[in-house]
């Protein structure tokens, strides 16, 4: 064999040894690649499991939605992420973004409204992966100020058979496209998120139901304990506001004019008072059929809307308040609403949950029924009081006055038979005292028979004025009233009477230097007010402007004013005016 053949043989042997070595290197590279993929897959599975565990922590819905969005973006390594919640009307009701800086958020004209590619996922809830968002036929671009985005991955979140919302991921951090593995991971996370959201909703419903039961029990207890209806209304508004985490609660009931409601309760911060100002209680609202309040009040059906995103409420009331989502419920059963309950959040606040509507409606109905029962109980108590007053008045008239009158007659007959002057005078004084007592009892009878539904009684106003004069006089004046003052004196004459009495008491305090003042007020054919004192009388140095005013008031009513001053001091001012009969109750006679 030649030297050349030996070289060829050696080379051939080297070829046979190098071929297996090449295949082995390829196999080893493939194994390392597969191991790397397995390791990466295992790491992503661990990440998915950690994500599932993290979103399962906590049962507050709003923090849970933010946590789901952040976890999803981290899981698929997306720069931007968002969760769009689908409302009852099939439109996007909430949009929760992550990955944007505060200045970027502030620069966006408005959040996406569920149109274009996002709307496609709402209409067709199936996973969607795109290399370039703008190249899709359904793309509508981005709102002004929105940062540019390219790659896209969207996955629906379902709760049982109902789509709750969608997860939207854009722009992988490494610049690559979203892969099928990313889609599988996001779908798995969305499934776990659906379960977590359902648990959070059930937890919220349970808490709300407990709150509702506690509020209902508290309201019933307050009503049964005799609390005033206005206090109970304030409690209803405060508890309803707390149930749904609203910023403002208003209860409005029918006003005096047709198609109007009057605000009975205003529960909320003053910043929401707007054009209604701090005195919102008592404000008059329009409830014509075309208005939001009118529709709810007449139909008995609750309405949930967003005033800031619509044409308003038809009255301008809610629009002026600067609120956003509002919930308007009939206050009472649908066939007999007694008003409306308005719950509102500020602009930009989240929508009210659908479950709250079904919870608040029976709460408002029960509160209205309980309030009606409380008002009926108050009416019954008021009627019972009036019946007792009438019975006491009859007993005083038929029994006490008659016996006092008979005693006075007997004593008057006895006076003439008493020869001792001192004793005769004492008996006569007793007769005078009995006569004075009879007049006072009759005055009390007139007061008992007055219902007082029209406001403060004239007798009460006179009594308050006389009592308040004790501070300036230094002693309590004596007051004697006779006749049906509350029934026979109309409002105009009563106002003049109060003004004259205030002036006369003021004069006595400033000028009389008296130690006793008597006020007598009687109603017969005319109204007579007599104020007398034991002071220094009417002197030349005393200003008569007050007396001139009193005389002017008497002349205006067709009456007169007379002033007398005794030789030993003291003064008596008598102010009398004719009465304009209005058909009121007559005087009780013995």
């Amino acid at each position: 064999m030649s030297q050349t053949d030996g070289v060829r043989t050696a080379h051939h042997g080297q070829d046979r040894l190098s071929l297996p070595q090449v295949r082995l290197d390829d196999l080893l590279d493939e194994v390392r690649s597969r191991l790397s993929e397995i390791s990466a897959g295992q790491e992503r599975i661990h990440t998915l499991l950690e994500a599932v565990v993290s979103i399962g922590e906590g049962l507050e819905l709003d923090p849970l939605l933010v946590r789901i969005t952040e976890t999803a973006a981290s899981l698929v390594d997306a720069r931007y992420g968002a969760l769009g919640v689908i409302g009852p009307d099939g439109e996007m009701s909430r949009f929760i973004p992550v990955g944007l800086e505060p200045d970027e958020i502030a620069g966006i004209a408005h959040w996406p409204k569920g149109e274009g590619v996002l709307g496609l996922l709402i209409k067709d809830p199936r996973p969607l992966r795109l290399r370039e968002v703008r190249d899709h036929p359904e793309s509508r671009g981005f709102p002004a100020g929105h940062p540019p985005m390219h790659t896209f991955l969207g996955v629906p979140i379902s709760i049982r058979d109902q789509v709750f919302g969608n997860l939207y991921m854009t722009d992988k951090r490494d610049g690559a496209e979203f892969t099928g593995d990313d889609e599988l991971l996001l779908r798995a996370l969305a499934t776990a998120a659906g379960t977590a959201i359902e648990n959070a909703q059930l937890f919220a419903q349970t808490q709300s139901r407990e709150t509702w039961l506690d509020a209902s029990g508290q309201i019933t207890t307050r009503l049964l304990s005799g609390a005033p209806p206005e206090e109970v209304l304030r409690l209803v508004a405060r508890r309803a506001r707390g149930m749904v985490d609203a910023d403002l609660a208003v209860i409005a009931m029918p006003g005096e004019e047709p198609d109007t409601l009057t605000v009975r309760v205003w529960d909320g911060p003053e910043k929401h008072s707007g054009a209604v100002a701090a005195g919102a209680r008592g404000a008059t609202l329009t409830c014509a059929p075309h208005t939001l309040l009118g529709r709810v009040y007449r139909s008995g059906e609750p309405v949930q809307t967003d005033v800031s995103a619509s044409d308003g409420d038809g009255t301008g009331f809610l629009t002026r308040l600067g609120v956003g989502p509002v919930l308007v419920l009939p206050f009472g059963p649908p066939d007999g609403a007694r008003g409306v309950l308005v719950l509102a959040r500020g602009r930009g606040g989240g929508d009210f949950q659908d479950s709250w509507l079904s919870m608040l409606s029976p709460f408002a109905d029960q509160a209205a029924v309980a309030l009606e029962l409380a008002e009926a109980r108050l009416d019954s108590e008021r009627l019972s009081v009036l019946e007792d007053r009438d019975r006491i008045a009859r007993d005083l008239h038929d029994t006490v006055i008659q016996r006092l009158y008979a005693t006075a007659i007997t004593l008057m007959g006895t006076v003439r038979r008493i020869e001792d002057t001192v004793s005769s005078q004492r008996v006569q004084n007793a007769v005078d005292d009995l006569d004075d007592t009879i007049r006072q009892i009759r005055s009390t009878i007139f007061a008992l028979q007055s219902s007082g539904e029209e406001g403060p009684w004239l007798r009460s106003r006179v009594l308050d004025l006389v009592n308040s004069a004790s501070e300036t006089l230094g002693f309590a004046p004596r007051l004697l009233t006779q006749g049906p003052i509350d029934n026979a004196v109309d409002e105009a004459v009563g106002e003049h009477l109060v003004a004259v009495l205030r002036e006369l008491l003021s004069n006595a305090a400033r000028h009389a230097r008296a130690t006793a003042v008597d006020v007598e007020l009687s109603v017969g054919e005319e109204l007579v007010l007599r104020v007398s004192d034991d002071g220094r009388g009417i002197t030349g140095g005393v200003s008569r402007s007050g007396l001139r005013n009193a005389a002017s008031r008497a002349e205006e009513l067709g009456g007169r004013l007379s002033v007398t001053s005794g030789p030993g001091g003291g003064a008596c001012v008598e102010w009398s005016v004719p009465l304009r009969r209005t058909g009121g109750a007559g005087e009780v006679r013995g």
Side-chain angles (χ1 to χ4, degrees):
M1 182 176 63
S2 65
Q3 186 177 2
T4 304
D5 293 338
V7 173
R8 289 178 177 173
T9 303
H11 287 174
H12 180 70
Q14 291 177 358
D15 291 341
R16 285 184 300 177
L17 290 173
S18 62
L19 288 176
Q21 183 67 36
V22 171
R23 290 196 297 270
L24 179 60
D25 290 342
D26 292 340
L27 289 174
L28 288 175
D29 290 340
E30 185 176 354
V31 169
R32 281 194 295 267
S33 177
R34 293 293 180 88
L35 288 175
S36 178
E37 291 178 1
I38 292 172
S39 177
Q42 186 179 17
E43 183 179 352
R44 301 193 78 177
I45 290 174
H46 281 300
T47 304
L48 174 62
L49 293 176
E50 291 175 359
V52 171
V53 171
S54 67
I55 65 174
E57 297 175 352
L59 291 173
E60 296 293 335
L61 183 59
D62 290 342
L64 173 62
L65 297 180
V66 175
R67 197 160 59 248
I68 289 172
T69 311
E70 292 174 343
T71 303
S74 175
L75 184 63
V76 298
D77 198 26
R79 185 182 303 275
Y80 305 109
L83 193 156
V85 180
I86 301 176
D89 55 357
E91 303 291 335
M92 186 181 296
S93 61
R94 295 182 64 185
F95 190 79
I96 304 170
V98 297
L100 294 172
E101 297 298 329
D103 56 341
E104 292 179 311
I105 293 176
I108 299 176
H110 61 82
W111 289 122
K113 301 178 180 179
E115 301 173 348
V117 175
L118 303 189
L120 177 63
L121 206 59
I122 294 176
K123 293 180 288 186
D124 185 12
R126 290 184 297 176
L128 178 65
R129 272 189 295 140
L130 300 175
R131 176 181 300 175
E132 178 57 58
V133 176
R134 291 173 296 183
D135 293 342
H136 195 278
E138 293 288 336
S139 177
R140 298 291 185 271
F142 297 99
H146 197 287
M149 297 179 180
H150 304 281
T151 56
F152 176 86
L153 172 60
V155 171
I157 298 176
S158 299
I159 300 176
R160 300 183 187 276
D161 296 330
Q162 183 178 1
V163 178
F164 173 81
N166 297 297
L167 283 171
Y168 307 112
M169 302 292 121
T170 61
D171 290 3
K172 282 182 74 74
R173 293 186 181 275
D174 59 3
E177 299 179 33
F178 290 104
T179 65
D181 290 341
D182 292 329
E183 180 180 325
L184 289 174
L185 288 173
L186 200 59
R187 288 174 60 186
L189 181 67
T191 302
T195 303
I197 292 172
E198 183 180 24
N199 291 337
Q201 289 178 333
L202 292 174
F203 176 72
Q205 291 175 10
T206 301
Q207 281 192 318
S208 299
R209 191 173 292 108
E210 291 178 357
T211 304
W212 171 63
L213 292 173
D214 177 66
S216 298
Q218 186 178 4
I219 291 169
T220 303
T221 301
R222 294 297 298 157
L223 287 171
L224 293 178
S225 64
E230 291 297 329
E231 178 183 333
V232 176
L233 284 176
R234 289 194 296 270
L235 178 61
V236 171
R238 185 171 67 253
R239 295 307 300 265
R241 178 187 170 197
M243 282 183 195
V244 299
D245 193 25
D247 297 322
L248 175 68
V250 176
I251 295 179
M253 293 186 170
E256 297 180 358
E257 300 295 329
D259 292 337
T260 63
L261 296 172
T262 301
V263 175
R264 294 280 296 275
V265 174
W266 178 278
D267 187 77
E270 295 300 331
K271 67 179 181 179
H272 289 289
S273 57
V276 185
R281 186 178 180 275
T284 300
L285 312 177
T286 301
C287 68
H290 68 279
T291 65
L292 175 60
L293 301 182
R295 293 199 306 271
V296 174
Y297 177 63
R298 285 170 170 77
S299 67
E301 296 294 331
V303 172
Q304 178 177 344
T305 185
D306 191 327
V307 174
S308 61
S310 63
D311 295 332
D313 59 318
T315 65
F317 167 63
L318 296 175
T319 306
R320 290 195 303 271
L321 296 181
V323 299
V326 295
L327 186 59
V328 186
L329 303 101
F331 193 70
D335 55 347
R338 305 187 61 197
V340 294
L341 170 62
V342 181
L343 299 166
R345 288 177 175 172
R347 289 180 179 173
D351 291 336
F352 295 102
Q353 297 181 18
D354 296 337
S355 58
W356 289 343
L357 194 62
S358 59
M359 176 190 64
L360 279 172
S361 293
F363 170 74
D365 294 346
Q366 180 181 354
V369 172
L371 183 66
E372 186 171 356
L373 292 175
E375 291 177 345
R377 177 178 55 80
L378 289 177
D379 290 340
S380 177
E381 292 177 354
R382 189 178 297 110
L383 179 61
S384 178
V385 170
L386 291 176
E387 290 176 348
D388 286 342
R389 288 160 60 102
D390 188 61
R391 177 183 57 78
I392 293 171
R394 288 199 310 270
D395 291 344
L396 287 174
H397 177 268
D398 297 340
T399 304
V400 178
I401 285 184
Q402 299 301 331
R403 296 186 66 175
L404 290 175
Y405 185 73
T407 302
I409 294 296
T410 302
L411 291 176
M412 288 177 62
T414 306
V415 169
R416 293 189 294 269
R417 300 179 183 180
I418 298 177
E419 297 179 356
D420 182 25
T421 305
V422 176
S423 299
S424 175
Q425 185 60 43
R426 288 180 178 177
V427 174
Q428 184 61 49
N429 291 339
V431 172
D432 294 340
D433 288 342
L434 286 173
D435 187 51
D436 187 29
T437 301
I438 290 173
R439 286 196 298 269
Q440 293 187 33
I441 292 176
R442 286 184 174 179
S443 178
T444 302
I445 291 174
F446 290 127
L448 289 170
Q449 291 179 332
S450 300
S451 63
E453 295 296 329
E454 300 299 326
W457 302 336
L458 179 58
R459 188 187 307 271
S460 298
R461 296 176 62 187
V462 169
L463 180 60
D464 291 341
L465 193 58
V466 171
N467 289 336
S468 63
S470 60
E471 297 182 4
T472 55
L473 289 169
F475 55 86
R478 178 175 176 270
L479 173 64
L480 176 63
T481 59
Q482 300 183 65
I485 298 173
D486 295 314
N487 294 332
V489 181
D490 62 24
E491 183 177 357
V493 175
E495 292 297 331
H496 285 287
L497 169 68
V498 171
V500 170
L501 177 58
R502 182 181 293 109
E503 179 63 34
L504 295 181
L505 289 174
S506 176
N507 284 344
R510 288 182 295 171
H511 307 299
R513 298 180 182 176
T515 59
V517 173
D518 292 336
V519 178
E520 298 181 35
L521 179 61
S522 62
V523 171
E525 294 299 325
E526 60 181 4
L527 172 66
V528 179
L529 171 64
R530 186 178 296 107
V531 179
S532 57
D533 63 73
D534 62 352
R536 60 179 182 173
I538 306 296
T539 62
V542 175
S543 173
R544 294 176 175 265
S545 59
L547 295 178
R548 284 197 297 270
N549 290 338
S552 174
R553 290 179 181 274
E555 293 173 0
E556 181 181 338
L557 297 173
R560 64 189 182 280
L561 175 75
S562 62
V563 181
T564 58
S565 184
C572 178
V573 180
E574 183 176 296
W575 186 84
S576 58
V577 296
L579 291 176
R580 292 175 286 187
R581 296 295 181 180
T582 58
E587 180 180 356
V588 178
R589 301 186 180 278

